[in-house]
Amino acid sequence: MALQAQAATNISLGHTLSSTSHYSVGAEAFKETLERLSDGAFTVTEHASGSLGGEREMIEGLQIGTVDVVITSSGPLGNFVPETYVLDLPFLFESYDQARCVLDSDIGDELLAKMSDHGLVGMAWSENGFRHLTNSQREIASPADTEGLRVRTMENAVHQEAFRQMGARPTPMAFPELFTALQQGTVDGQENPITVIVATNFWEVQDYLSLTGHVYSPAIVLGSPILLDGLNDEERDWFMQAAAASVDATREEVSRLEREGVALLEANGMTVKTDIDPAPFQQAVEPAYEIFTSQYGSDMLDRIREKA
Ligand code: EAX
């Protein structure tokens, strides 16, 4: 009897950003690596632009096995794995090197391991970037300028608190709804890294960008336990290598956009305020730290500060 080639297993990989984004660069590296290492036993289909839903919905999808791999920001993750909220504290990291170093350390590994207590597989920390504020109304130079501004935040309690403390009116919303909400004026502003602002053409609906860099936004490559728990060691290793390749490619693209993105946004008509003094912003969001530590303690925060 002739040997039949076994049908390839198709892996669905979801994310919220466009197919020109840094997440897509990461998704392509994941696909290329997994298909190569497995010699075609696994194929990968990328579902970009939130076609499988927002980040919260996709994380739920991993838990029930309707999606296999997701690249997501840490935005909604704390709702599932509260231990990750520490990473969402504003002004925790000062530089990309510092953030990457912490996420690549035993601290990052420990947080990845926590995912399995919540029906998720933490494969690798990836990157979204330092977040900045955009809006349609006015130039923002200090926290006082955000007074009353309706700012879309991610569905993240720490971020919402920080914007409340700044004086803005935070409105949590899933990313796939954001462009239309800005267009229709349901919200005045939003905050995201240069990577996302570029990938989403936000200049079409936002005139002002202030380089506040108020929080580092990690991304994570998450897997579904329903898929990954069924793999043998060799197969699981291919997935882990694919996730690592995805992170390398994504970080490289984030770094490129950090160098080139602002000029591109200006060329597309955005007014960019670059010389922001972070001190008043830092001071304004300080209560978010107190609220966080009273709820979750300061052990992990202290360890991150020691390492960073
Ligand atoms: O992960 O929701 C957000 O603003 C995120 O930065 C975006 O979905 C990319």
Side-chain angles (χ1 to χ4, degrees):
M1 202 173 71
L3 282 176
Q4 295 273 313
Q6 251 203 317
T9 304
N10 188 251
I11 300 302
S12 57
L13 185 160
H15 64 85
T16 50
L17 299 177
S18 76
S19 52
T20 60
S21 65
H22 57 305
Y23 283 5
S24 213
V25 167
E28 276 158 34
F30 187 96
K31 175 182 166 74
E32 188 279 320
T33 307
L34 183 63
E35 293 182 354
R36 179 170 44 78
L37 292 177
S38 72
D39 205 10
F42 291 97
T43 54
V44 177
T45 303
E46 177 186 354
H47 302 273
S49 304
S51 60
L52 300 180
E55 294 186 329
R56 187 171 43 76
E57 284 170 278
M58 285 193 290
I59 295 172
E60 285 164 1
L62 291 169
Q63 292 178 320
I64 57 172
T66 53
V67 55
D68 299 312
V69 176
V70 168
I71 300 173
T72 174
S73 71
S74 64
L77 192 58
N79 298 305
F80 299 86
V81 188
E83 289 89 342
T84 65
Y85 273 136
V86 67
L87 299 173
D88 302 311
L89 284 164
F91 299 105
L92 176 62
F93 297 115
E94 278 166 19
S95 69
Y96 278 97
D97 282 350
Q98 210 184 43
R100 290 172 184 181
C101 166
V102 168
L103 292 172
D104 291 346
S105 76
D106 53 319
I107 293 176
D109 289 346
E110 225 173 278
L111 291 171
L112 286 176
K114 290 263 189 275
M115 306 293 149
S116 59
D117 298 341
H118 304 277
L120 299 164
V121 181
M123 298 169 79
W125 286 109
S126 189
E127 190 161 77
N128 198 14
F130 277 92
R131 302 180 80 90
H132 306 292
L133 188 58
T134 72
N135 84 99
S136 58
Q137 302 297 308
R138 53 184 179 261
E139 186 175 276
I140 304 285
S142 74
D145 300 328
T146 71
E147 189 68 43
L149 202 70
R150 291 167 305 170
V151 178
R152 176 270 180 177
T153 67
M154 296 196 286
E155 297 164 282
N156 181 296
V158 176
H159 285 196
Q160 285 168 58
E161 188 55 39
F163 277 91
R164 207 169 295 124
Q165 298 296 342
M166 247 183 245
R169 288 164 55 190
T171 307
M173 189 185 291
F175 188 80
E177 293 163 35
L178 177 56
F179 192 91
T180 308
L182 291 168
Q183 199 166 37
Q184 296 180 343
T186 319
V187 288
D188 306 308
Q190 64 88 43
E191 44 84 55
N192 251 303
I194 299 296
T195 51
V196 178
I197 301 170
V198 168
T200 317
N201 296 8
F202 275 144
W203 57 80
E204 291 175 11
V205 285
Q206 299 277 271
D207 288 339
Y208 302 98
L209 164 62
S210 293
L211 298 183
T212 46
H214 51 274
V215 68
Y216 174 80
S217 186
I220 185 168
V221 186
L222 286 171
S224 169
I226 292 161
L227 167 79
L228 280 131
D229 291 353
L231 301 180
N232 65 34
D233 287 351
E234 188 189 25
E235 292 168 335
R236 210 182 152 88
D237 184 56
W238 296 336
F239 275 77
M240 291 316 213
Q241 287 193 53
S246 168
V247 172
D248 287 347
T250 302
R251 283 180 175 174
E252 208 175 296
E253 183 66 356
V254 172
S255 296
R256 184 185 74 78
L257 285 161
E258 281 294 330
R259 290 190 302 272
E260 301 170 10
V262 170
L264 198 136
L265 296 173
E266 281 175 328
N268 280 289
M270 274 187 130
T271 303
V272 185
K273 178 134 189 72
T274 53
D275 55 337
I276 299 274
D277 176 7
F281 283 96
Q282 240 163 319
Q283 212 177 346
V285 300
E286 199 52 41
Y289 274 82
E290 283 144 39
I291 292 168
F292 171 83
T293 51
S294 69
Q295 207 168 343
Y296 299 107
S298 61
D299 286 1
M300 194 45 125
L301 180 59
D302 294 342
R303 279 177 61 199
I304 290 175
R305 281 177 160 159
E306 237 163 70
K307 179 93 60 187

